[in-house]
């Protein structure tokens, strides 16, 4: 805004009086100079001084001081007939008013005031610079507001786009524009016309601007005319912008107007369609029916009609006569399918007309044809599919079945007498089918195994896969079902499973089945007491050697039959191997029940057996243990039953021994909580048992055995400390503690001149699942400077069989460090020779139960086989549980390299340890 009341920015023209009509001269104005009075007061004196009497050209610039500081630039240039005055830098006029009358300048320079004309000028930048008083009166909006906010402030919002189109030269006229008077008066109607403004031919701007703005003229309409104009505009706009092809035809059927969409699909222009008969656009074969229908509508016989025809593409002239968007790539199809909709229009006193709408239905018809073809193809594929399939309803009713399913299931006359899937299934499988039907009712899919009646009447196992088929409203009225007969597959699997879990000779369960049942029994021993019976036939090797292996096998089969006969239905009888059997008896809670069952078993075995020409009598040594609190694992229970059997055998054979363990719920074995407490409160102890090299008779190391010391109950017995502990973090912490203690003890022995002795430590499967132990072993070896090959780590055979790839990689890393690795309890699992070759092991430890059988028939052969495997692979073989000199002598003869057992020393604290002479 101007800071000088007498000076503001602007552009004016002054000239001699004879150049303009005298009507334009202001009162009191110098008669010799016209336009001087229009200049800002502060600019008039310098301009007068510069132009003088306008007898010569002028071109000057001067700086005019401003009251607030600074200067405004005054430019005066031109010839005597036309002088242009420019002021810049002074700001806007404080009392500027854009609502002055508009002035028209004629080509000869004369001017006239356009009083009463409602108009405004739009500058090239879109701003409104002049507003006439008549426009202010028409709109009820002050001129200053119209100039500041534009004409749209007085225009209804729905007409903004049309007025902008006129202002931006998109259109020249907007009919029926609704005005919203700013003074609250009723709406008014107007036609808005746009005129381009041209420059003053005497202007000396350089370079001349190319756009001089737009003048908008508003002509008021009465309300009725406004409504009609708006209605006509809307109808025309709807006609022109309709996405479907539209045309208007006269009483003769000739096209009087066509919209761009129709011209587009016909590859022509709207102008070229005008005057052509509508029927000339269609194929010759469809022309006469269309003409007849059109004439019936135009003559009042029909109000309107829809008719499908083939449309010919209209030939066009030169490409420049056709809009670019109407020209398609490639040659158009000669004909296409269209639906023509005709509505007759009748106005009194005027000839009949008709509105025509044309829809291209080629794609729709093509899609319908393709859909029919697809449905036919899918139906054919369904009927002839090699997989049994059916379409079923939500309640399981078979709506349709293909040929394979009809050949598989007992569907009867399913086309005439519907069948439900539940009709074909046994009652116990109905819940499975109900679950499937629930899923498809929710629009999902399901897969289940069930039994269905086959066509031959037999019951087969099938895999039923069902998926809901959803409709357009997202409901699932039916589903597609696929039925695969897997009866043979399941029979084979059951046979394989039976072979895996059963002894092929006797048909009894094997070691794997026993472990599965034992683990389940141990987990539920608190709710359901069990007893485990270990049975070993006496002098069976003599029978084999005397009568032959075939007789021996027949004897084993008969013993197995008798054992099955004497036990109850929920008891488990297995053959461990050779002449060893095990019975897992449920609901045996006390010693009397165990004693009675053992006696019954011994009497059944002792009955004479006739095999061919031989009558054989065999007895059995039986050990029974009642599951107690300390039996937290299957191995613990089996071990105690084995020990009880050996006590019976050592007592003279043909007898039984019953071991009553701590009652379930008692506190024999320390739990994880007690072990964690002992670890944190220095309550752990290590006992050592010598490992002897049988080739030299000297101790080569000791096995470190963990014990828990309690001031009241004493030290926990061997083999009970870690039973039932499954917490990986606790096991790793315990292993780390043992490792630290053992390596520290080895350093003490080295310092005392004892040894050098190696150390044997036990690892669990959980410790192989983490890198923590690996890192701790590496760090401890670095800290102690002990040779890595003096550390022997033992992994139980069952844990090694279940080790994954990551665990085996950790073992290989330990072996790469120099640690010697071995398999503990070897012979209790089923490690194959090929698998054994792939493991990074250096020694095998024979399970104590095998070592104790050295003096039994067949026992020597088992140990001999294990030793042979070790020697073939270059592995040391260590026998555990050696208690007698004769056992050691037999092991040495068989080639066993090392031994361990009470014969060489019982597990003892380091201060009480008595070592055989060290190497």
């Amino acid at each position: 805004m101007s800071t000088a009341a007498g000076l503001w920015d602007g552009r004016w023209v002054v000239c001699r009086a004879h150049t303009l009509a005298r009507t334009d001269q202001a009162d009191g104005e110098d008669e010799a100079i016209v336009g001087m009075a229009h200049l800002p007061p502060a600019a008039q004196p310098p301009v007068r001084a510069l132009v003088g009497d306008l007898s010569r050209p002028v071109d000057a610039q001067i700086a005019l001081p401003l009251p607030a500081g600074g200067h405004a630039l005054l430019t005066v240039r031109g010839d005597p007939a036309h002088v242009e005055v420019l002021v810049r830098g002074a700001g806007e006029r404080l009392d500027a008013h854009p609502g002055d009358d508009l002035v028209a300048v004629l080509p000869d320079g004369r001017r006239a005031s356009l009083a009463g004309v409602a108009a405004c000028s739009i500058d090239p930048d879109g701003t409104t610079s002049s507003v006439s008083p008549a426009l202010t009166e028409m709109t009820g909006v002050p001129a200053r507001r119209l100039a500041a906010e534009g004409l749209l402030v007085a225009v209804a919002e729905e007409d903004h786009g049309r007025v902008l189109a006129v202002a931006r030269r998109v259109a020249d006229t907007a009919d029926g524009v609704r005005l919203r008077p700013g003074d609250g008066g009723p709406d008014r109607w107007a036609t808005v016309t746009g005129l381009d403004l041209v420059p003053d031919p005497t202007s000396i701007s350089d370079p001349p601007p190319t756009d001089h703005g737009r003048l908008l003229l508003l002509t008021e309409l009465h309300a009725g005319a406004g409504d009609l104009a708006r209605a006509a505009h809307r109808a025309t706009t709807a006609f022109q912008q309709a996405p479907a092809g539209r045309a208007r035809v006269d009483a003769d059927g000739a096209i009087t107007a066509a919209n761009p969409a129709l011209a587009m699909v016909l590859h022509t222009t709207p102008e070229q369609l005008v005057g052509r008969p509508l029927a000339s656009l269609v194929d010759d074969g469809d022309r006469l029916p269309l003409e007849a229908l059109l004439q019936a509508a135009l003559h009042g016989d029909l109000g309107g009609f829809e008719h499908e025809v083939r449309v010919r593409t209209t030939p066009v002239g030169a490409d420049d006569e056709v809009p670019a968007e109407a020209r398609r790539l490639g040659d158009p199809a000669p004909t296409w399918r269209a639906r023509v909709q005709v509505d007759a229009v009748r106005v009194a006193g005027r000839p009949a007309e008709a509105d025509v709408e044309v829809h291209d239905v080629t794609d729709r018809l093509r899609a319908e044809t393709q859909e029919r073809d697809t449905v036919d193809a899918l139906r054919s594929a369904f009927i002839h599919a090699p997989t049994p399939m059916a379409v079923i309803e939500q309640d399981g009713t078979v709506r349709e079945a293909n040929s394979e399913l009809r050949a598989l299931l007992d569907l009867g006359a399913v086309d005439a007498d519907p069948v439900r899937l539940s009709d074909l299934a046994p009652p116990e499988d109905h819940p499975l089918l109900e679950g499937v039907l629930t899923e498809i009712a929710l629009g999902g899919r399901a897969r289940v195994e069930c039994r269905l009646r086959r066509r031959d009447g037999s019951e087969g196992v099938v895999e039923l896969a069902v998926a809901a088929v959803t409709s357009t409203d997202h409901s699932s009225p039916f589903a597609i079902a696929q039925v695969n007969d897997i009866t043979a597959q399941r029979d084979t699997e059951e046979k394989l499973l039976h072979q895996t879990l059963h002894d092929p000779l006797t048909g009894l369960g094997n070691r794997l089945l026993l472990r599965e049942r034992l683990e389940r029994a141990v987990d539920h021993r608190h709710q359901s007491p069990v007893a485990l019976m270990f049975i070993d036939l006496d002098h069976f090797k003599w029978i084999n050697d005397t009568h032959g292996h075939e007789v021996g096998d027949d004897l084993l089969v008969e013993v197995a039959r008798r054992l099955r006969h004497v036990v109850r239905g929920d008891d488990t009888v297995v053959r461990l191997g050779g002449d060893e059997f095990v019975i897992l008896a449920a609901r045996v809670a006390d010693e009397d029940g165990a004693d009675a069952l053992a006696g019954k078993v011994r009497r059944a075995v002792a009955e004479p057996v006739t095999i061919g020409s031989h009558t054989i009598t065999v007895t059995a040594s039986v050990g029974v243990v009642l599951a107690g609190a300390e039996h937290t694992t299957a191995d613990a229970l089996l071990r105690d039953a084995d020990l009880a059997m050996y006590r019976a055998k050592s007592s003279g054979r043909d007898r039984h021994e019953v071991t009553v363990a701590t009652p379930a719920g008692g506190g024999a074995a320390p739990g994880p909580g007690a072990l964690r407490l002992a670890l944190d409160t220095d309550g752990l102890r290590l006992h050592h048992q010598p490992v002897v090299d049988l080739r030299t008779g000297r101790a080569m190391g000791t096995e470190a055995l963990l014990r828990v010391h309690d001031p009241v109950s004493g030290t926990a017995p061997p083999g009970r400390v870690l039973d039932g502990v499954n917490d990986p973090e606790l096991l790793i912490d315990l292993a780390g503690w043992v490792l630290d203690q053992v390596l520290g003890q080895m350093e003490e022995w080295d310092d005392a001149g004892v040894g050098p002795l190696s150390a044997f430590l036990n690892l669990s499967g959980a410790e192989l699942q983490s890198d923590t132990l690996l890192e701790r072993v590496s760090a401890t070896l670095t800290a102690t400077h002990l040779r890595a090959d003096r550390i022997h780590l033992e992994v139980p055979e069952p844990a090694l069989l279940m080790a994954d790839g990551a665990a085996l990689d950790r073992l290989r890393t330990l072996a790469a460090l120099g640690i010697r690795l071995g398999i503990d309890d070897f012979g209790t699992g089923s490690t194959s020779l090929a698998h054994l070759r792939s493991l990074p092991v250096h020694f095998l430890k024979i399970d104590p139960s095998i070592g104790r059988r050295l003096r039994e028939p067949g026992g020597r052969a088992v140990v001999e086989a294990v030793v042979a495997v070790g020697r073939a692979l270059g592995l040391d073989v260590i026998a555990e549980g050696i208690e007698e000199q004769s056992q050691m002598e037999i092991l040495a003869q068989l080639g066993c390299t090392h031994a361990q057992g009470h014969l060489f020393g019982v597990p003892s604290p380091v201060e009480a340890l008595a070592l055989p002479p060290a190497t």
Side-chain angles (χ1 to χ4, degrees):
M1 186 170 290
S2 174
T3 58
L7 188 65
W8 56 86
D9 289 345
R11 172 182 174 273
W12 301 267
V13 176
V14 297
C15 58
R16 289 182 178 179
H18 62 81
T19 61
L20 288 177
R22 297 299 295 173
T23 56
D24 190 49
Q25 186 171 342
D27 293 340
E29 187 174 2
D30 187 344
E31 295 184 0
I33 300 176
V34 176
M36 188 65 71
H38 293 161
L39 299 178
Q44 291 180 19
V47 172
R48 287 181 186 278
L50 291 172
V51 302
D53 59 358
L54 285 178
S55 60
R56 64 186 185 281
V58 61
D59 187 354
Q61 287 185 331
I62 62 174
L64 301 179
L66 300 174
H71 295 79
L73 181 64
L74 173 65
T75 303
V76 182
R77 63 175 59 165
D79 55 26
H82 185 100
V83 176
E84 188 177 52
V85 179
L86 295 173
V87 177
R88 294 291 183 265
E92 295 180 359
R93 180 180 178 181
L94 288 173
D95 59 345
H97 195 286
D100 295 334
D101 286 342
L102 298 180
V103 177
V105 181
L106 301 179
D108 60 2
R110 290 176 297 167
R111 298 183 179 188
S113 176
L114 301 180
V117 175
C120 63
S121 61
I122 309 297
D123 291 343
D125 60 2
T127 60
T128 302
S129 58
S130 298
V131 177
S132 72
L135 181 59
T136 299
E137 181 182 354
M138 179 185 293
T139 61
V141 178
R144 292 185 184 278
R145 185 181 176 195
L146 285 172
E149 301 181 32
L151 179 61
L152 295 184
V153 73
V155 176
E157 185 175 354
E158 65 268 21
D159 287 332
H160 281 189
R162 299 170 57 207
V163 173
L164 286 174
V166 175
R168 295 169 181 172
R169 297 186 178 86
V170 177
D172 291 329
T173 303
D175 289 325
V177 173
R178 183 191 297 268
L179 301 179
R180 303 283 193 188
D183 56 7
D187 290 352
R188 305 174 80 166
W189 304 90
T191 296
V192 180
T193 304
L195 300 174
D196 284 336
L197 293 174
V198 297
D200 186 341
T202 61
S203 174
I204 59 173
S205 58
D206 185 26
T210 58
D211 186 358
H212 298 273
R214 189 92 158 149
L215 183 68
L216 301 186
L217 300 176
L218 278 73
T219 304
E220 186 172 6
L221 303 172
H222 61 77
D227 288 337
L228 289 175
R230 288 177 64 83
H233 169 75
R234 288 173 178 170
T236 301
T237 301
F239 179 84
Q240 293 294 330
Q241 297 180 359
R246 295 187 62 182
R248 193 168 294 114
V249 298
D250 59 17
D252 296 327
I255 298 173
T256 58
N259 73 344
L262 181 61
M264 175 79 71
V265 296
L266 293 173
H267 304 175
T268 185
T269 62
E271 293 76 14
Q272 290 178 320
L273 290 174
V274 173
R276 295 189 57 177
L278 178 66
S280 68
L281 304 179
V282 305
D283 188 79
D284 293 343
D286 294 333
R287 184 174 301 175
L288 291 178
L290 178 60
E291 286 179 341
L293 289 170
L294 182 58
Q295 289 303 315
L298 291 171
H299 288 85
D301 297 330
L302 289 175
F305 64 87
E306 290 187 6
H307 185 55
E308 286 192 3
V309 297
R310 290 167 294 173
V311 178
R312 288 190 301 107
T313 300
T314 303
V316 299
D319 285 345
D320 57 2
E321 297 179 5
V322 183
E325 62 271 17
R327 295 194 294 270
R328 299 181 180 177
L329 296 176
D331 294 329
T335 61
W336 46 277
R337 303 290 297 187
R339 176 170 55 84
V340 178
Q341 179 179 335
V342 176
D343 292 306
V345 179
R346 298 180 184 85
V347 179
R350 294 179 57 183
E353 292 182 319
D355 285 334
V356 180
E357 193 165 312
V358 179
H359 295 273
D360 186 350
V361 296
T362 307
D363 292 340
R364 186 197 57 147
L365 294 176
R366 184 183 298 115
E368 291 175 353
T369 301
Q370 291 175 347
E371 183 177 355
R372 286 194 298 270
D373 293 343
T374 300
V375 170
D376 292 343
L378 289 175
R379 181 174 180 80
S380 177
F382 170 80
I383 295 298
H384 300 98
T387 301
M389 300 175 69
V391 176
I392 64 173
E393 297 178 0
Q394 288 189 1
D395 62 353
T397 300
V398 179
R399 178 188 294 183
E400 190 168 353
N402 71 348
S403 55
E404 288 293 323
L405 188 65
R406 294 170 188 263
L408 174 63
L409 297 182
D410 182 17
L411 297 178
V414 65
D415 297 326
D417 187 13
V419 175
R420 289 187 178 185
L421 291 177
S422 56
D423 298 336
L424 305 177
E428 54 268 30
D429 283 357
H430 285 183
L432 297 175
L433 295 177
E434 290 173 1
V436 170
L437 298 178
T438 299
E439 284 296 323
I440 65 173
L442 297 174
R445 58 180 60 202
R447 185 183 300 270
V448 69
E449 282 189 17
C450 61
R451 289 167 295 172
L452 296 177
R453 188 171 65 253
R454 295 188 288 193
R455 186 173 183 178
D456 60 4
S458 64
E459 199 172 76
V461 180
V462 302
E463 182 182 61
L464 176 64
V466 182
V469 179
T470 56
S471 59
T472 54
D473 61 355
H474 303 291
S475 62
S476 303
F478 63 93
I480 190 76
Q482 182 173 309
V483 182
N484 290 324
D485 187 357
I486 57 173
T487 306
Q489 177 183 340
R490 290 295 176 262
D491 287 345
T492 301
E493 290 174 355
E494 289 181 5
K495 290 177 182 177
L496 291 175
L497 180 61
H498 186 274
Q499 293 173 6
T500 302
L501 299 177
H502 290 79
D503 173 49
L505 176 63
T506 63
L508 296 178
N510 60 12
R511 187 182 295 270
L512 289 176
L513 179 65
L514 176 63
R515 177 168 292 277
E516 176 190 327
R517 301 282 174 85
L518 271 179
E519 290 175 350
R520 191 183 313 154
V522 167
D523 290 341
H524 297 86
R525 68 188 185 281
H526 301 294
Q527 295 82 24
S528 177
V530 294
L532 187 67
M533 183 179 301
F534 204 112
I535 305 165
D536 185 88
L537 300 184
D538 298 326
H539 305 297
F540 179 74
K541 183 177 183 302
W542 179 85
I543 295 174
N544 253 348
D545 293 343
T546 302
H547 300 290
H549 288 286
E550 291 184 2
V551 173
D553 288 348
D554 290 343
L555 176 61
L556 293 175
V557 171
E558 176 59 22
V559 170
R561 186 193 65 78
R562 294 180 181 183
L563 292 179
R564 275 195 297 260
H565 180 71
V566 299
V567 300
R568 296 159 298 179
D570 55 351
D571 295 337
T572 300
V573 184
V574 303
R575 179 189 175 209
L576 285 185
D579 59 346
E580 294 178 338
F581 298 86
V582 171
I583 296 176
L584 178 62
R587 301 187 309 282
V588 178
D590 54 32
E591 187 174 0
D592 291 341
D595 187 76
L597 181 60
K600 188 177 180 181
V601 166
R602 287 179 49 232
R603 289 190 296 273
V605 171
E607 290 289 330
V609 181
T610 299
I611 301 175
S613 60
H614 306 286
T615 299
I616 301 171
T617 300
V618 64
T619 60
S621 298
V622 179
V624 187
V625 62
L626 297 174
E630 66 270 34
H631 297 123
T632 57
T633 65
D635 290 335
L637 192 61
L638 185 61
R639 177 191 60 226
D640 284 355
D642 188 22
L643 290 173
M645 184 274 293
Y646 267 96
R647 286 197 300 272
K649 191 174 287 290
S650 299
S651 300
R653 296 182 174 84
D654 191 19
R655 64 186 64 237
H656 62 266
E657 287 283 338
V658 178
T659 298
V660 180
T662 304
L675 283 174
R676 174 62 70 183
L677 180 62
L679 179 63
D680 295 339
T681 59
D682 196 26
L684 297 178
R685 298 290 185 271
L686 277 184
H687 286 194
H688 296 265
Q689 186 175 34
V691 178
V692 175
D693 189 333
L694 295 180
R695 294 164 295 189
T696 63
R698 296 178 179 273
M700 54 82 60
T702 67
E703 180 176 3
L705 303 169
L706 186 65
R707 300 289 185 264
V708 177
H709 178 74
D710 186 274
V712 177
S713 60
T715 302
R720 295 289 186 261
V721 175
L722 297 180
D723 283 354
V725 178
N726 298 311
D727 182 356
E729 183 178 355
L730 176 58
L731 289 171
I732 291 172
D733 289 345
L734 290 172
W737 183 88
V738 172
L739 181 66
D740 291 342
Q741 296 296 314
V742 168
L743 268 61
Q745 183 61 57
M746 292 173 68
E747 287 186 310
E748 292 183 12
W749 281 334
D750 289 350
D751 294 341
V754 179
L757 294 175
S758 295
F760 289 78
L761 293 84
N762 294 283
L763 293 182
S764 68
E767 291 157 341
L768 297 179
Q769 302 304 315
S770 170
D771 291 329
T772 303
L773 181 67
L774 176 63
E775 296 167 355
R776 190 155 186 176
V777 169
S778 178
T780 305
L781 285 175
T782 303
T784 59
H785 303 292
L786 292 172
R787 289 203 330 267
D789 61 358
R790 294 174 62 186
I791 308 299
H792 295 62
L793 300 181
E794 306 173 11
V795 183
E797 184 179 11
L800 199 58
L801 288 173
M802 293 185 292
D804 57 18
L808 293 178
D809 287 342
R810 294 184 183 97
L811 288 177
R812 295 186 180 97
T813 303
L814 288 170
L817 292 175
I819 304 294
R820 295 181 64 79
L821 304 175
I823 302 179
D824 197 11
D825 301 331
F826 187 76
T828 61
S830 55
T831 305
S832 66
L833 186 60
H835 185 48
L836 193 60
R837 289 181 184 274
S838 67
L839 298 175
V841 296
H842 306 87
F843 62 91
L844 305 176
K845 260 196 173 183
I846 302 176
D847 187 70
S849 63
I850 298 176
R852 286 194 293 268
R853 296 191 180 94
L854 278 170
R855 293 169 299 173
E856 299 299 326
R860 178 182 176 123
V862 174
V863 177
E864 188 174 6
V866 173
V867 173
V869 169
R871 293 178 63 184
L873 298 177
L875 306 177
D876 291 335
V877 179
I878 304 173
E880 289 189 277
I882 306 305
E883 301 176 355
E884 299 178 2
Q885 183 71 23
S886 59
Q887 290 176 293
M888 184 187 72
E889 293 172 354
I890 293 174
L891 288 170
Q893 293 172 5
L894 294 178
C896 185
T897 56
H898 299 79
Q900 177 183 347
H902 288 185
L903 177 64
F904 310 108
V906 299
S908 306
V910 66
E911 59 271 11
L913 182 63
L915 290 172
T919 56

